[in-house]
Amino acid sequence: MNAAFDVGADDGFNGILFAFLNPKINVFAFEPIKGSKKVISANLKSVEKFFRIRIRNYKIINSAVSDFVGHKTFYETNYKVASSLLRPKKKLNEFWTKSEDLLIKTVSTGLKVKKKYKVKVLTLDKFCKKNSIKIINYLHIDAQGHDLRVIKSLKNFKKSLIEGVAEVPKNEKLKIYEQEQSFRQLKKKFKEWKFEITKIEEVQKNFPSLNIHFKTNNIDANKQN
């Protein structure tokens, strides 16, 4: 099976669009927030209605992804998009607290934990084995500080991955979660895994996080694609 993963799917639109454009690839959207499956399902139906089609290659998984299997406390914040398996930091760098940028202020003031609850956590390697996935065409990660652990969870299935994108803070000082991993740490792991960074872009203008696009140069995976 060929697959694509959308980890930290939020409203689902990234994965839904990918599924719509790539009908031969099975797209799995992972989002642990309570009520998210209902929201994503509604958005899927809206897209299907608009285009008058059925998108049959898209599936919602109401779980978090990390480098372990089990259950963990999930921190749902007032700014829901910033919810994470990682606890938000109590004290942020003044870049966040003194900025007049509307988005930055929205994130920094919205990091207060609204509620905590246990969520199911799975690894991508076990998921691939269970679902007989041979090739991972694309891995989109927006796991709020947890992105590197998501990639680690592939284990040997990193050899089956073709390309993807992950989000990390620009540097150590700009972290907003406890135990969050930065761009420097990502570059170190990518060198170890022989991943090639193909593009670096700001998530949004003046925002202190980066979208890191990468490819793996996995010859076997590309041959089968």
Side-chain angles (χ1 to χ4, degrees):
M1 180 194 294
N2 281 41
F5 297 142
D6 185 13
V7 181
D10 188 27
D11 56 18
F13 280 116
N14 275 320
I16 293 168
L17 177 61
F18 192 94
F20 173 64
L21 296 174
N22 300 274
K24 293 183 179 180
I25 297 174
N26 292 281
V27 179
F28 297 93
F30 300 87
E31 180 55 70
I33 293 178
K34 284 185 176 179
S36 60
K37 190 169 184 177
K38 184 177 180 180
V39 172
I40 298 172
S41 294
N43 290 334
L44 176 62
K45 288 179 181 177
S46 296
V47 172
E48 290 178 326
K49 184 178 180 180
F50 181 83
F51 288 105
R52 297 181 180 179
I53 58 168
R54 285 293 304 276
I55 299 176
R56 302 181 186 278
N57 59 323
Y58 184 82
K59 187 173 181 180
I60 307 161
I61 312 296
N62 195 200
S63 299
V65 177
S66 189
D67 52 1
F68 68 95
V69 174
H71 290 80
K72 191 178 187 299
T73 299
F74 186 79
Y75 301 92
E76 185 177 322
T77 56
N78 287 328
Y79 181 53
K80 190 172 284 190
V81 177
S83 304
S84 177
L85 281 175
L86 302 178
R87 185 193 298 271
K89 294 179 71 173
K90 291 182 179 180
K91 187 175 182 181
L92 299 177
N93 181 275
E94 63 180 19
F95 176 92
W96 290 97
T97 57
K98 295 185 178 181
S99 175
E100 293 301 317
D101 183 278
L102 180 59
L103 177 59
I104 293 172
K105 289 175 72 173
T106 299
V107 174
S108 61
T109 57
L111 277 176
K112 184 177 179 180
V113 177
K114 183 179 180 180
K115 48 188 172 182
K116 299 186 293 184
Y117 45 87
K118 292 287 185 180
V119 297
K120 182 180 178 181
V121 183
L122 53 80
T123 60
L124 291 181
D125 76 312
K126 288 188 180 297
F127 186 84
C128 287
K129 290 174 184 176
K130 183 178 179 180
N131 292 277
S132 301
I133 292 169
K134 302 298 181 184
I135 301 297
I136 306 165
N137 294 78
Y138 199 75
L139 173 58
H140 177 270
I141 319 170
D142 188 5
Q144 300 303 311
H146 220 69
D147 294 39
L148 261 181
R149 292 176 178 87
V150 171
I151 303 174
K152 286 179 183 178
S153 82
L154 285 165
K155 297 184 180 179
N156 287 335
F157 279 90
K158 285 195 288 292
K159 296 176 183 178
S160 301
L161 174 63
I162 296 176
E163 60 183 330
V165 61
E167 182 181 326
V168 288
K170 289 181 179 179
N171 59 54
E172 308 287 333
K173 293 181 179 179
L174 297 175
K175 293 179 180 181
I176 58 176
Y177 302 101
E178 301 292 345
Q179 299 179 319
E180 183 176 7
Q181 293 171 308
S182 68
F183 180 44
R184 179 185 62 82
Q185 291 166 301
L186 178 140
K187 285 194 295 184
K188 184 178 179 181
K189 295 304 293 186
F190 275 19
K191 185 176 181 180
E192 176 187 326
W193 296 332
K194 298 181 180 178
F195 285 8
E196 178 185 344
I197 294 175
T198 56
K199 183 180 179 182
I200 300 172
E201 60 184 359
E202 291 183 322
V203 172
Q204 290 194 36
K205 188 176 180 180
N206 300 322
F207 199 73
S209 293
L210 301 169
N211 278 328
I212 311 299
H213 298 261
F214 63 91
K215 63 179 182 179
T216 64
N217 295 311
N218 286 328
I219 296 172
D220 291 342
N222 279 285
K223 278 182 179 179
Q224 296 178 56
N225 183 38

